[in-house]
Amino acid sequence: MQQHHHWTGLPPDARGASVTMGNFDGVHRGHRALIDHARQVLPDAPLGVITFEPHPRQFFAPDAPPFRLMNPAARAHRLERLAVDHLYELPFNAEVSGMEAEDFVRRVLVAGLGIRHLTVGEDFHFGRKRGGDVTTLDRLGRELDFGVSALPLLGEAGEAPFSSTAIRQALSEGRPEDAARILGHWHRIDGPVIHGEKRGRELGFPTANMALDGLHVPRLGIYAVLVDILSGPHAGETHRGAASIGVRPTFGGDAVPNLETFLLDFSGDLYGAELSVALVAWLRPELAFGDLDALIRQMRQDVADTRRVLA
């Protein structure tokens, strides 16, 4: 998959794509329906996804609490697995946010990307103050010679359409199974293993520590997880694990939560390696223990519960 970070200066093979456009946070089942349609409607054209960085919500409210389900690298990795040919990760800045909808279509989609077809959801809005919609796209598509498809929102019978908001709600309530149902895959937290205080090693449960910077934080507690090792000497391996998302109250509490994962039946050095940690089941809330013996007993129970859940 080729990645492009502006709409100007593209190589010839990056133009003329059948594209879909949006933030694609989580790349859930609704997003996948758009991608699949964009692939099918013009099977002879390259398949492209147009998204923005930073997320427009971050641009307009930089001090808001973290909300993203995945960082840009994780999103790109997921889109590549879906056989997207081109990811147009366009800058969202004062210039783009101030473009009127028609100007965006003419300058970015047509003159810049040279799109042949655009697939969006029926509720799609874009441009300055969200002034453009599907009607705008239909009119400009006829004028500027590109096709437009507006798909109905995808969801299960009797329930709200699939959305990143619903996924965040499920994760906040400790329901990773429901988040996975909307996503079509386990919710994953990707990132490098960083150095911690090595308390887990001292307790007999060495953990891989990962930061949650910029990401929506799921319900604090202990999770049964599946871990893909993406880089380093153990790249390509998948392991079961027991993970803690929290602030370590037994040791005084941290200012911000992080992710600590104990990989079952694993021996090796993971510092600096990229991991992808899939949340499979929430096991229990984070607790403060009066002594280390009580903590170790509970950690042993957490490992046993993890083995049972992931069996």
Side-chain angles (χ1 to χ4, degrees), residues 49-243:
V49 169
I50 302 170
T51 188
F52 301 93
E53 198 60 41
H55 191 294
R57 183 169 159 185
Q58 285 178 270
F59 177 81
F60 289 115
D63 298 326
F67 66 93
R68 294 182 68 151
L69 294 169
M70 52 174 41
N71 59 37
R75 179 177 60 192
H77 178 66
R78 175 61 60 178
L79 292 171
E80 185 171 32
R81 290 181 64 182
L82 296 176
V84 170
D85 298 311
H86 297 277
L87 172 58
Y88 307 97
E89 196 177 80
L90 305 183
F92 196 86
N93 50 26
E95 178 187 12
V96 173
S97 67
M99 282 188 191
E100 300 293 344
E102 184 163 337
D103 190 31
F104 178 86
V105 171
R106 293 181 180 277
R107 289 179 55 192
V108 177
L109 299 185
V110 176
L113 305 185
I115 67 167
R116 289 177 58 191
H117 197 95
L118 174 62
T119 300
V120 295
E122 62 185 4
D123 65 341
F124 185 73
H125 287 77
F126 69 104
R128 180 174 178 268
K129 296 184 178 180
R130 294 169 53 85
D133 58 14
V134 171
T135 301
T136 311
L137 291 172
D138 282 336
R139 174 175 59 82
L140 291 172
R142 289 192 297 272
E143 178 183 341
L144 302 172
D145 195 29
F146 64 88
V148 176
S149 297
L151 303 190
L153 302 184
L154 184 66
E156 295 182 342
E159 297 188 9
F162 299 134
S163 70
S164 300
T165 299
I167 297 165
R168 294 185 196 100
Q169 183 68 28
L171 293 172
S172 294
E173 296 173 359
R175 298 184 286 111
E177 302 92 339
D178 289 339
R181 179 176 53 79
I182 300 170
L183 284 163
H185 53 83
W186 298 115
H187 173 66
R188 290 181 171 272
I189 298 171
D190 292 9
V193 176
I194 60 177
H195 285 275
E197 297 178 2
K198 298 180 173 61
R199 289 199 181 101
R201 186 177 303 276
E202 296 170 0
L203 298 173
F205 295 89
T207 58
N209 294 350
M210 297 164 61
L212 299 174
D213 298 343
L215 297 178
H216 173 80
V217 178
R219 183 180 181 184
L220 303 188
I222 308 302
Y223 289 80
V225 301
L226 294 172
V227 183
D228 291 344
I229 303 176
L230 304 180
S231 68
H234 298 276
E237 296 180 10
T238 296
H239 293 270
R240 298 173 296 170

